[in-house]
Amino acid sequence: MKLTERRMTTASGFPDISISTERLVLRPFEEADIPAYAEMMNDELVTAWTAAPQPYTEADAREYIIDVAPAERAEGRGIVLAVAEFLTQRLVGAVRLRHTDWRIRSSELSYVTAPWARGEGYASEAALATAQWLFHDQKFERIELRTAADNTAAQQVAQKIGCISEGVLRGAWIARVRNGGDPLGGWLDLRTDLIVWSLLPEDLEGVSDQLTDSGFTSFSDWN
């Protein structure tokens, strides 16, 4: 993993960072990413498991990429990174750190994978690279993940990068399902549980080797 830091904006804030793995580049979003990001956020699985507005327009994507994400980093609340293929530079997902607590050096990690990039292990590779950077470079001590109880693919990614399940938050999330199962119908809200996962620096021991041995494809990506 290669790290390139450009600058720090605040004493308690994340740097403007680019992270390279064997297959991916994690970098700040750019205006050119807007169409692909909007398309990704309109995917059925992304809609089902996230709170993103639907339909997700290019105006929504522009506001998030140009205003919301940079403000999160500048104010020290978190950081949003585009995940692109190293060779093609095609957008394949996003990684986000939020609810950051600088006193206890903890942050919450979430990730989204585009439908055209699933099944390649990109979510695990990007999440692991982010965790390594956060622990080793930023000296954080804890990462938390929360996955919907029925989102088994998300749980598999958490397990793959070494996370430990800590418990269940009952009725803590609203998922979305198609009205009557009709793919052309509207969406209905469905209350569900959240599984809380944690990752500490010592949990990463041996995880990189396991991912390499499995070719980053042992588990399917979640959205």
Side-chain angles (χ1 to χ4, degrees):
M1 180 179 67
K2 300 177 182 178
L3 302 179
T4 304
E5 290 191 20
R6 301 189 185 106
R7 57 190 174 89
M8 284 289 292
T9 57
T10 63
S12 294
F14 291 113
D16 193 359
I17 190 76
S18 176
I19 304 172
S20 297
T21 71
E22 181 181 356
R23 303 183 300 167
L24 303 172
V25 176
L26 284 66
R27 55 164 175 78
F29 271 96
E30 302 168 353
E31 190 170 355
D33 296 317
I34 289 173
Y37 186 72
E39 182 180 356
M40 177 175 71
M41 298 305 291
N42 276 308
D43 175 67
E44 293 276 314
L45 290 179
V46 174
T47 301
W49 298 119
T50 73
Q54 290 299 321
Y56 197 90
T57 67
E58 288 198 9
D60 293 322
R62 177 176 297 277
E63 180 182 10
Y64 188 73
I65 289 172
I66 302 301
D67 298 324
V68 176
E72 284 193 12
R73 186 181 70 81
E75 296 169 8
R77 292 182 283 113
I79 188 171
V80 182
L81 296 172
V83 180
E85 289 179 326
F86 183 81
L87 294 178
T88 67
Q89 293 300 304
R90 187 181 190 188
L91 183 71
V92 297
V95 172
R96 182 185 185 188
L97 293 171
R98 61 177 182 170
H99 300 153
T100 302
D101 189 319
W102 290 91
R103 181 173 180 271
I104 64 173
R105 311 299 287 188
S106 174
S107 193
E108 182 181 329
L109 173 68
S110 60
Y111 33 85
V112 176
T113 303
W116 52 84
R118 292 179 186 140
E120 300 295 332
Y122 286 155
S124 301
E125 188 171 344
L128 178 61
T130 304
Q132 290 173 328
W133 167 73
L134 195 64
F135 288 149
H136 299 158
D137 189 80
Q138 298 295 297
K139 309 303 180 185
F140 270 54
E141 298 292 336
R142 174 183 167 87
I143 294 174
E144 186 173 300
L145 292 82
R146 299 185 177 196
T147 63
D150 293 329
N151 193 345
T152 56
Q155 296 158 28
Q156 289 173 334
V157 171
Q159 291 171 330
K160 187 175 181 182
I161 66 172
C163 293
I164 304 300
S165 175
E166 293 188 333
V168 176
L169 299 176
R170 297 183 300 166
W173 188 248
I174 300 294
R176 289 180 285 205
V177 295
R178 282 292 188 184
N179 188 1
D182 183 358
L184 299 180
W187 293 93
L188 295 176
D189 289 344
L190 178 67
R191 185 167 294 277
T192 187
D193 298 338
L194 283 177
I195 300 176
V196 179
W197 306 81
S198 67
L199 187 68
L200 304 183
E202 55 266 31
D203 297 329
L204 291 183
E205 295 180 8
V207 172
S208 296
D209 293 337
Q210 294 173 22
L211 285 174
T212 301
D213 291 342
S214 67
F216 298 96
T217 57
S218 292
F219 298 103
S220 59
D221 289 354
W222 79 295
N223 48 338

